[in-house]
Amino acid sequence: MKYILALLVLWTAPVFADATDETAIKAIIADIKYGWENGDGAPFRKHFLDFEGARYVESGGQNEGLDDLVMHHVEPEKDALEFLSLDFSNIEVHFEGGFAWALANTRVKGKVRRNGKTFDKAGHQTFLFRKVDDRWKVVHTHSSSRDFKPKK
C-alpha cells in the first residue's frame, strides 16, 4: 500500500520549472522566429506537439493542425514574400506544473513579392506549452497585430 501511495504522490505531484525551463522556452521562440522568417517548417515540426484538434490563430485566421500551419502558411510565405522580419520582445514566461505560457510583443515587417507592397505590423503573441517527455512543446499559438503606429 505504501508503494502505491508513493507512486500516486509522484504521479500527481506538480512539475516545478526553473531557469533552464525559461531558457528552453525562449530558445523555442527564437527557433520559431527563424522558421517564420525563412519559410522553414522544421522548427515547427521539432517544437510543436502535433495532435488532433491543434489550432494556431493569427489575426482572425487559423490553421487547423501542424501540417496545415506548415504547408499552407509558413512554407508558402518564403515564395510569396521578398522578406519577412519578425521580432518578439518583452517575452514573459509563466509556469503552472507541466504547463507554461509565454506572452510577447510582436513586430512584423515584410514585402510582398507579387505587388511590392510592404507591411509593418505590431501586436501581441501568446504561446501555450506542455511538458512532454521532459521537453516543452507548443500546443497552441495566438497572435494579433495591426498597422504599426509610432508613439507620439
Side-chain angles (χ1 to χ4, degrees), residues 56-97:
Y56 309 101
V57 179
E58 180 180 333
S59 294
Q62 79 174 348
N63 292 97
E64 296 183 19
L66 184 57
D67 282 341
D68 185 35
L69 175 67
V70 170
M71 295 187 317
H72 298 117
H73 198 79
V74 175
E75 291 177 344
E77 285 188 0
K78 116 182 98 184
D79 295 325
L81 301 175
E82 282 188 38
F83 77 91
L84 178 68
S85 170
L86 174 59
D87 181 47
F88 293 117
S89 61
N90 299 320
I91 299 170
E92 298 175 20
V93 182
H94 304 274
F95 298 94
E96 182 68 36

Side-chain angles (χ1 to χ4, degrees), residues 6-27:
L7 281 177
L8 283 173
V9 168
L10 288 173
W11 183 59
T12 59
V15 177
F16 293 101
D18 59 22
T20 58
D21 287 306
E22 184 169 341
T23 300
I25 285 177
K26 287 182 176 180

Side-chain angles (χ1 to χ4, degrees), residues 2-3 6 17 22 25 29 34 42 52 56 58 70 82-83 94-96 117-118 125 128 132-133 137 141-142 148:
K2 287 181 187 178
Y3 179 71
E22 184 169 341
I25 285 177
I29 292 170
Y34 172 86
E52 183 73 30
Y56 309 101
E58 180 180 333
V70 170
E82 282 188 38
F83 77 91
H94 304 274
F95 298 94
E96 182 68 36
K117 182 180 176 185
T118 61
Q125 175 86 35
L128 304 182
V132 178
D133 297 329
K137 293 287 192 172
T141 62
H142 190 126
F148 175 73

